[in-house]
């Protein structure tokens, strides 16, 4: 049967071709990863020295470090976590434990998922209108609020999901002992969902550590040392943005050093959190 | 639940019971308030942008969307160039990212040996973890020169002379421009799209796949004629999710687009996008109408990404229901 043999051969060739192209596509994806991380590492390593952690961001042409930006970034991230986490965990608690009107809970989950991938530059504009404009100046507070808004949907989603995984028997056991519902939630559900909630927070911290757009019009930047959130505050992403687009070699070096620092922190946090999440499931 | 409380009531001292009651009420209100805040924030974001962009919409009217002049000195603003740039860069990104993501998902579900799946999936996931400003810096210092030296001249030479589509690919080999931005966006959204595809491919019931294999279908035929039709809705949902990200991505494209406000049909010429225009110009906007025009662009971006992402979530939810989760 020559016809069917030819058909068979053609199908096998198409199969081989399709699977080969799929493998090549995967290699294509991995090449970019290696290229980007390799370049960041190569350029960043050379620019890391002791001054990076001990000196302020320099004016053009002078040597310096990123101390004010590193501390500023830590302050901004801490503010974001401080503002965003309690609201996020409470909202997740309501969705998982209290929402009796299913339509409302469904709507909130749906909109929260959209917020999760909404453009972060829009959040920057919103916080500009909400905080910067009424107060009349850029400030660390505004940057913290912007980062909190980026963090919020991640925490809401992970805490909602992990709390719903807690077995109903544990709720019933707590209520049967006469515990009011709020004690059941705080002393049974939260501890049982602790790993999931905290890895969610870690993932959210990884996300906001790499965000630039929400800080551009809120925390802005500051060439000098400050730990006061009422002032504009230096931070790694905005320093990278300004230094990388400048014409000065010394600023480029510092931008690469900042880029390496940020990439290491962000990837370590997100890989660690994901590994912990996988182990707990 | 109230029935249980009543039944348990008599022996316990009433003071404790009421304290538990008020504690319960306060806790419930706090939680409900936090959940409602998510709704309120989304609404406030849209409202504040509409409010801020209103002067621009009112002053320039429909012309704001179809005109090309962007003149801070004469205070005349029309935003076709950034709107066009956003759409074109996202389209280029999708043209590259969709087939590549599909290939990765097929590799992970059909080709790869089991021991390799985890590491490869984790590596692709890592691409999603790299901060977008890193893509921007790498793009500016490494990828733009690469495009200028190796890719742009070749495209200009081979495709630039063609009739009809020639003008799209003709231009000076500067490296910056919409093509470069589109490619970088593609790399950034591949992990999101391929993760969704891989997850939904795994939801196909094994009996379906097995019956196709039993009929003598090849692996590729199973993917094309069983897996893909079964997961179509969710696959499109995953693509929309990637599209929503590509439209709103800011830092990576800001570095490589060139922030030009002159309209150019060529993909090799410097361009602009909504997000890049806002990032570049907002802090320098020196007049009320300038700032309002940028916020109006932000409103437009917000509305468009909201629609795209909502469509994505609806399609993914349908797949989840179908799979009985």
């Amino acid at each position: 049967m020559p016809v069917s043999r030819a058909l068979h051969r053609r199908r096998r060739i198409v199969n081989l071709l399709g699977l080969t192209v799929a493998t090549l596509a995967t290699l294509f994806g991995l090449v970019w990863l290696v290229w980007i991380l390799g370049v960041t590492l190569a350029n960043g390593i050379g620019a890391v020295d002791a001054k990076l952690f001990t000196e302020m961001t320099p004016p053009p042409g002078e040597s310096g470090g990123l101390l004010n930006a590193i501390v500023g970034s830590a302050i901004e991230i801490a503010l974001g976590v401080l503002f965003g986490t309690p609201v996020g965990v409470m909202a997740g608690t309501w969705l998982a434990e209290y929402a009796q009107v299913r339509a409302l809970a469904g709507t909130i989950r749906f909109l929260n998922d959209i917020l999760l991938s909404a453009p972060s530059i829009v959040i920057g504009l919103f916080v500009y209108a909400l905080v910067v404009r009424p107060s009349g100046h850029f400030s660390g507070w505004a940057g913290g609020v912007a980062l909190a808004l980026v963090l919020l949907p991640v925490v809401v989603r992970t805490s909602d999901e992990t709390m719903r995984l807690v077995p109903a028997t544990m709720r019933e056991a707590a209520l049967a002992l006469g515990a009011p519902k709020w004690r059941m939630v705080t002393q049974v559900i939260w501890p049982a969902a602790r790993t999931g909630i905290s890895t969610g927070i870690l993932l959210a911290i990884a996300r906001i550590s790499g965000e630039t757009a929400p800080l551009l019009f809120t925390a802005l930047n500051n060439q000098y040392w400050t730990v006061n959130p009422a002032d504009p505050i230096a931070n790694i992403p905005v320093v990278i943005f300004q230094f990388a687009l400048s014409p000065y070699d010394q600023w480029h070096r510092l931008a690469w050093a900042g880029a390496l620092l940020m990439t290491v922190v962000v990837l370590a946090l997100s890989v660690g959190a994901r590994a912990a999440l996988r182990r707990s499931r | 639940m109230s029935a249980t409380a009543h039944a348990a009531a008599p022996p316990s001292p009433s003071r404790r019971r009421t304290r538990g009651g008020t504690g319960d009420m306060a806790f419930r209100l706090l939680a409900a308030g936090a959940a409602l805040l998510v709704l309120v924030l989304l609404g406030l974001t849209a409202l504040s942008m509409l409010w801020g962009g209103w002067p621009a919409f009112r002053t320039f009217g429909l012309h704001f969307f179809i005109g090309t002049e962007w003149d801070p000195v004469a205070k005349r603003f029309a935003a076709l160039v950034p709107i066009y740039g956003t759409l074109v860069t996202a389209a280029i990104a999708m043209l590259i990212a969709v087939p590549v993501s599909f290939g990765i998902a097929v590799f992970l579900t059909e080709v790869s040996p089991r021991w390799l799946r985890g590491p490869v999936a984790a590596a692709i996931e890592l691409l999603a973890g790299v901060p977008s400003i890193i893509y921007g810096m790498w793009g500016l210092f490494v990828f733009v020169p690469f495009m200028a030296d190796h890719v742009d001249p070749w495209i200009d030479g081979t495709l630039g002379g063609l009739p009809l589509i020639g003008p799209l690919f003709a231009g000076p080999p500067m490296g910056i421009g919409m093509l470069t931005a589109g490619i970088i966006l593609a790399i950034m959204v591949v992990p999101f799209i391929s993760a969704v595809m891989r997850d939904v491919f795994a939801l196909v019931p094994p009996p379906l796949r097995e019956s196709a294999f039993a009929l003598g279908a090849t692996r590729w035929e199973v993917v094309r004629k069983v897996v893909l039709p079964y997961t179509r809705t969710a696959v499109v949902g995953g693509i929309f999710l990637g599209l929503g990200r590509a439209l709103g991505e800011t830092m990576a494209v800001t570095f490589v687009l060139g922030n030009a406000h002159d309209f150019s049909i060529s993909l090799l010429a410097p361009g602009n996008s909504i997000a890049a225009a806002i990032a570049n110009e907002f802090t320098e906007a020196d007049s009320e109408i300038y700032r309002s025009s940028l916020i109006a662009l932000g409103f437009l971006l917000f509305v468009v990404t909201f629609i795209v992402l909502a469509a994505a979530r609806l399609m993914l939810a349908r797949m989840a229901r179908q799979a009985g989760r």
Side-chain angles (χ1 to χ4, degrees):
Chain A
M1 285 189 291
V3 177
S4 98
R5 184 165 297 167
L7 179 66
H8 181 64
R9 198 161 67 215
R10 210 184 66 217
R11 288 175 54 209
R12 285 191 50 185
I13 290 174
V14 168
N15 180 47
L16 203 68
L17 216 65
L19 298 184
T20 311
V21 169
T23 311
L24 290 179
T26 310
L27 284 176
F28 179 77
L30 295 177
V31 163
W32 296 105
L33 178 71
V34 173
W35 194 2
I36 293 170
L37 290 185
V39 163
T40 309
L41 195 66
N43 284 302
I45 286 278
V48 172
D49 53 19
K51 278 185 187 169
L52 199 65
F53 304 100
T54 53
E55 292 186 11
M56 307 297 149
T57 48
E62 289 175 32
S63 76
L66 292 171
L67 179 62
N68 50 343
I70 293 171
V71 173
S73 262
I75 293 173
E76 289 301 283
I77 293 165
L79 285 178
V81 173
L82 204 67
F83 296 152
T85 311
V87 179
V89 172
M90 285 307 274
T93 305
W94 187 81
L95 286 172
E97 303 296 329
Y98 286 94
Q100 276 156 1
V101 190
R102 289 191 60 179
L104 181 61
T107 311
I108 291 178
R109 282 195 187 109
F110 181 74
L111 293 178
N112 186 66
D113 277 357
I114 290 178
L115 268 181
L116 204 59
S117 13
S120 55
I121 186 124
V122 169
I123 291 176
L125 283 179
F126 172 52
V127 174
Y128 177 86
L130 191 75
V131 183
V132 176
R133 226 185 144 118
S135 71
H137 59 92
F138 299 102
S139 68
W141 295 120
V145 171
L147 289 186
L149 291 185
V150 178
L151 165 137
L152 182 65
V154 185
V155 175
V156 171
R157 184 174 181 164
T158 44
S159 29
D160 173 25
E161 274 179 354
T162 44
M163 278 186 241
R164 275 193 289 166
L165 288 179
V166 177
T169 44
M170 290 182 70
R171 297 189 177 85
E172 286 158 10
L175 293 174
L177 287 173
K181 190 159 181 181
W182 71 275
R183 301 201 73 156
M184 171 202 93
V185 170
T186 50
Q187 294 180 354
V188 177
I189 307 289
W190 283 357
R194 195 182 51 219
T195 325
I197 296 175
S198 46
T199 46
I201 294 172
L202 274 184
L203 275 180
I205 294 176
R207 169 107 193 260
I208 62 174
S209 308
E211 281 288 353
T212 312
L215 293 172
L216 283 175
F217 332 124
T218 52
L220 199 67
N221 196 356
N222 193 333
Q223 206 187 323
Y224 306 104
W225 170 261
T226 179
V227 289
N228 181 4
D231 296 330
I233 216 164
N235 56 87
I236 295 280
V238 178
V239 166
I240 295 177
F241 183 52
Q242 291 187 348
F243 281 19
L245 286 175
S246 76
Y248 313 111
D249 275 344
Q250 175 58 23
W251 277 16
H252 289 172
R253 277 171 57 83
L254 281 173
W256 278 117
L260 178 64
L261 210 62
M262 179 191 209
T263 310
V264 167
V265 169
V266 169
L267 291 186
L269 274 172
S270 64
V271 168
R274 273 173 217 276
L277 207 61
R278 238 168 247 148
R279 236 196 342 269
S280 73
R281 271 178 189 167
Chain B
M1 236 154 274
S2 59
T4 359
H6 281 301
S12 69
S14 64
R15 208 172 48 109
R16 262 194 76 181
R17 191 158 48 90
T18 40
R19 202 196 288 159
T22 47
D24 243 9
M25 185 60 92
F27 192 80
R28 171 197 285 270
L29 283 180
L30 252 154
L36 281 177
L37 193 63
V38 174
L39 279 185
V40 171
L41 281 174
L42 199 69
L44 270 185
T45 307
L47 271 182
S48 83
M49 307 261 266
L50 183 60
W51 179 256
W54 189 246
F57 286 132
R58 208 185 42 208
T59 314
F60 305 118
L62 201 59
H63 188 70
F64 185 72
F65 302 102
I66 53 173
T68 58
E69 72 273 21
W70 187 268
D71 190 344
V73 181
K75 294 184 181 166
R76 291 179 53 78
F77 299 97
L80 184 64
V81 174
I83 293 171
Y84 175 76
T86 298
L87 296 178
V88 170
T89 50
I92 297 172
M94 287 298 114
L95 277 178
I96 301 170
V98 169
V100 170
S101 308
F102 179 68
I104 293 173
V106 170
F107 176 81
L108 287 175
T109 50
E110 301 290 338
V111 184
S112 166
R114 210 159 271 280
W115 58 268
L116 195 60
R117 285 181 192 175
V120 171
I124 297 290
E125 230 169 55
L126 215 55
L127 268 179
V130 175
S132 68
I133 194 164
I134 306 298
Y135 282 92
M137 260 194 98
W138 166 82
L140 180 68
F141 289 114
V142 180
F143 195 53
V144 163
F146 175 81
M147 290 291 284
D149 291 345
H150 302 291
V151 183
D152 286 2
W154 180 78
I155 290 179
D156 185 35
T158 50
L159 300 173
L162 293 177
L164 280 177
I165 59 162
L168 273 179
F169 300 104
M174 286 190 283
I176 53 174
M178 291 191 278
L179 181 65
T180 307
I183 295 173
I184 294 180
L185 281 179
I187 310 165
M188 298 184 72
V189 298
V190 157
F192 294 98
I193 304 180
S194 64
V196 171
M197 286 184 178
R198 185 198 61 197
D199 288 351
V200 296
F201 285 1
L203 290 180
V204 176
L208 267 184
R209 294 164 44 92
E210 283 156 14
S211 8
F213 280 127
L215 288 172
T218 62
R219 278 184 181 277
W220 182 249
E221 284 164 347
V222 169
V223 170
R224 281 291 310 277
K225 296 178 180 166
V226 177
V227 173
L228 204 52
Y230 187 84
T231 56
R232 199 174 41 221
T233 327
V235 165
V236 177
I239 293 172
F240 270 52
L241 204 63
L243 178 62
R245 290 213 167 242
L247 287 169
E249 176 48 48
T250 309
M251 298 321 293
V253 293
T254 304
F255 277 88
V256 298
L257 264 174
N259 198 32
H261 274 292
D262 307 312
F263 189 83
S264 167
I265 193 81
S266 170
L267 302 181
L268 305 186
N272 215 330
S273 85
I274 294 179
I278 299 172
N280 269 320
E281 298 173 39
F282 192 75
T283 44
E284 288 154 20
D286 48 7
S287 63
E288 206 51 41
I289 193 75
Y290 193 178
R291 203 171 295 133
S292 172
S293 299
L294 288 167
I295 297 176
L297 275 180
F299 178 70
L300 193 66
L301 180 68
F302 184 72
V303 170
V304 171
T305 49
F306 184 91
I307 293 169
V308 169
L309 292 171
R313 291 294 170 189
L314 286 176
M315 284 185 267
L316 289 172
R318 211 169 102 190
M319 178 76 200
R321 266 204 308 279
Q322 189 185 340
R325 284 196 308 185

